């Protein structure tokens, strides 16, 4: 029971002058319950890949298995609706998807679409709003009166309210202040600990190191690496060839080691690093 | 939405692509006017052949031409239906209770059908072979004589170019919001009428909000760079009238003159 991609190809606007080959033979297996970071440059195919997981895009060829659902090029769109509930996708800047008069109505919009009773959905709404760090007084406010960061929280709450088994987030912390970003990531980690699979597109390697278990590196429509966080940040040359920066702490350790220290570069925690340096002085 | 052909520029290199935008806009106007001259089926035959030649010269594929007509089909059927029923001239061909179809109605409806198809294809040729910026440049040039009577040529051209510039952006935005709402369980193609209205609302409101937001951002960006519509400006891109433009213009004029003569003679 996991997410499996087999030889997935995706071509946008096939057979037109605008044709664009976005995914080239992607093979992938994401374990249930993992928290995976998806990294790579703009245009490397990250967004295309994640839109296959909840079947917003169908593969041009190849197949994708999400738990017991199989997605191929010939699937009928209506057979894939249950998948939208199973895999919740939060787009970049999701605040633009808000449209209802009140925050409550906006959060229960998703659950209602999947056939959950209004009264039950309202209970869920109160719960998820608390999860994203807003209190119940917000329920009757208009989402358009909120600040950007609060809108983002409400939009994410709208997806969480659908209770997806797989949560996919496309740069959820872009444009948030550091404190807000940290709160968001802690929330995702908490959701991950409750047994949900999380896939997160990120450009911030510090976040990747701190919060994720595995890393998928995409380049030119291909999955080039799929390894644990510890493994990937050892490949300094490969990452610099893609001009992906190392996490601050990792590059600091590497600098220290150049000057005679012998510190394990997989240390993620500042306190532990301080102890380690103290021991070697 | 990706299959939208209407108003889309097709980046290619053809005889029509290379023509001066002023010529193309002017020719389109002349041809549009001549479409409305009643030159009978012979006239439409000539125009039809001319349009086919233009399509071939512009290197457009047949599938692209068909795609450009597709979005208008519903409107065309609607128009044709009412024409068939409400024109009551000539001899009665068919009578089904209150439905009466006359032979004149049939001919008039065929005319309307041909006219609409011709208009759509002609317009598509213009937009498919001319970059939006060239198009506005052409419009600005063609309107420049009206500057003398105080017509705000530059402002109008600027408005058109901004509108054209934002068509792809708004389409992209539409697609983005549709996907975001589809992720929340909205089905845009299915459901009862009530569900359909709800799904459209969930698309339109975010779209309007972001469009207004963009308009405000653009206005601020222009103002912060001290945009002044009355300022004298030069252009990087200059329009150059070539011999091929003159020849093309003569051809278009000849066809249009032919149609007008035919309509007078008939």
């Amino acid at each position: 029971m996991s997410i499996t991609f087999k030889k997935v190809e995706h071509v946008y606007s096939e057979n037109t002058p605008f044709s664009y080959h976005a995914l080239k033979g992607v093979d992938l297996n994401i374990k249930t319950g993992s928290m995976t970071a998806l990294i790579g440059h703009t245009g490397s195919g990250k967004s295309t890949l994640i839109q296959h997981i909840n079947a917003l895009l169908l593969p041009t060829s190849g197949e994708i298995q999400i738990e017991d659902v199989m997605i191929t090029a010939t699937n009928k769109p209506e057979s894939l609706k249950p998948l939208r509930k199973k895999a919740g996708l939060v787009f970049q800047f999701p605040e633009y998807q808000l449209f209802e008069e009140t925050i409550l109505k906006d959060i229960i919009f998703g659950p209602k679409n999947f056939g959950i009773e209004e009264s039950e959905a309202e209970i869920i709404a109160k719960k998820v709003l608390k999860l994203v760090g807003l209190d119940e007084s917000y329920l009757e406010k208009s989402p358009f009166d909120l600040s950007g960061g609060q809108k983002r929280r409400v939009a994410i709450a709208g997806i969480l309210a659908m209770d997806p088994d797989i949560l996919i987030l496309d740069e959820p912390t872009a444009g948030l202040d550091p404190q807000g970003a940290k709160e968001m990531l802690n929330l995702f980690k908490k959701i991950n600990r409750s047994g949900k699979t999380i896939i997160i597109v990120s450009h911030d390697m510090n976040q990747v190191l701190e919060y994720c278990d595995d890393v998928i590196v995409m380049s030119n429509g291909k999955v080039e690496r799929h390894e644990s966080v510890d493994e990937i940040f050892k490949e300094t040359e490969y990452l610099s060839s893609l001009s992906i920066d190392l996490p601050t702490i990792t590059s600091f350790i590497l600098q220290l080691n150049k000057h005679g220290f012998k510190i394990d570069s997989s240390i993620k925690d500042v306190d532990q690093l301080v102890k380690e340096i103290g021991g070697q002085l | 939405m990706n299959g939208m052909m209407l108003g889309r520029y097709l980046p290619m290199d053809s005889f029509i692509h290379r023509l001066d935008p002023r010529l193309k806009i002017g020719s389109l106007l002349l041809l549009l006017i001549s479409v409305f001259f009643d030159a009978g089926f012979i006239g439409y035959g000539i125009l039809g052949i001319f349009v086919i030649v233009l399509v071939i010269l512009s290197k457009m594929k047949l599938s692209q031409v068909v795609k450009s007509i597709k979005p208008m089909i519903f409107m065309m059927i609607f128009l044709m239906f009412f024409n068939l029923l409400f024109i009551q001239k000539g001899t009665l061909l068919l009578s089904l209770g209150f439905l009466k179809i006359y032979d004149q109605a049939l001919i008039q409806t065929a005319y309307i059908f041909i006219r609409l198809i011709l208009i759509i294809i002609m317009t598509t040729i213009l937009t498919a072979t001319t970059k939006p910026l060239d198009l506005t440049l052409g419009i600005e040039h063609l309107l420049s004589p009206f500057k003398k009577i105080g017509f705000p040529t530059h402002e109008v051209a600027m408005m058109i170019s901004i509108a054209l510039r934002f068509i792809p952006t708004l389409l992209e935005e539409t697609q983005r919001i549709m996907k975001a709402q589809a992720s929340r369980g909205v089905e845009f193609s299915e459901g009862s009428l009530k569900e359909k209205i709800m799904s459209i609302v969930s698309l339109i409101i975010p779209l309007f909000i972001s469009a207004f937001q963009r308009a405000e951002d653009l206005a601020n960006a222009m103002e912060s760079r001290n945009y002044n519509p009355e300022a004298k400006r030069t252009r990087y891109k200059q329009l150059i009238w070539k011999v091929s433009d003159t020849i093309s213009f003569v051809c278009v004029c000849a066809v249009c003159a032919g149609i007008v003569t035919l309509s007078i003679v008939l």
Side-chain angles (χ1 to χ4, degrees), chain A residues 17-18 51 54 56-57 78 81 84 89 91-92 96-100 106 109-110 113-114 144 159 162, chain B residues 2 8-11 64 176-177 179-187 190 198 201-202 205-206 209-210:
Chain A
F18 306 99
Q51 288 177 41
N54 76 343
L56 280 178
L57 293 177
E78 54 274 25
K81 193 175 175 187
R84 303 267 157 86
L89 175 56
F91 275 92
Q92 212 173 350
Y96 290 118
Q97 73 196 31
L98 303 173
F99 73 99
E100 279 282 13
D106 210 284
F109 179 67
N113 281 329
F114 291 109
F144 301 111
I159 300 289
M162 288 153 38
Chain B
N2 256 331
R8 192 168 191 177
Y9 173 67
L10 292 173
Q64 288 163 338
R176 219 168 68 98
I177 296 167
K179 278 180 173 173
Q181 305 299 24
S183 299
R184 297 211 276 169
V186 174
E187 282 171 289
E190 273 169 58
M198 197 60 186
V201 168
S202 79
I205 291 180
I209 289 169
S210 92

Side-chain angles (χ1 to χ4, degrees), chain A residues 5-10 21-28 49 61-62 218 220-224:
Chain A
F5 279 63
K6 267 187 206 146
K7 294 199 181 70
V8 173
E9 304 268 339
H10 191 90
H21 202 157
L23 291 184
K24 300 168 188 163
V26 169
D27 285 305
L28 200 59
L49 182 85
S61 72
M218 289 200 74
N220 279 321
K222 289 182 185 130
V223 169
E224 295 207 331

Side-chain angles (χ1 to χ4, degrees), chain B residues 13-20 24 53-59 125-126 129-130:
Chain B
D13 188 30
S14 77
F15 178 71
I16 308 266
H17 279 77
R18 285 189 297 266
L19 288 175
D20 192 292
K24 286 191 262 187
V53 171
L54 289 181
V55 169
I56 294 168
L57 278 178
S58 68
K59 290 189 184 162
I125 294 174
L126 175 71
T129 61
T130 319

Side-chain angles (χ1 to χ4, degrees), chain B residues 35 54 64 71 75 78 83 105 114-117 140 200 202 211 221 227 237 248:
Chain B
V35 164
L54 289 181
Q64 288 163 338
M75 198 190 86
F78 189 77
N83 260 289
I114 297 169
R115 276 175 192 161
L116 281 172
I117 296 269
E140 196 176 345
I200 296 292
S202 79
Y227 171 73
K237 181 142 185 148
S248 311

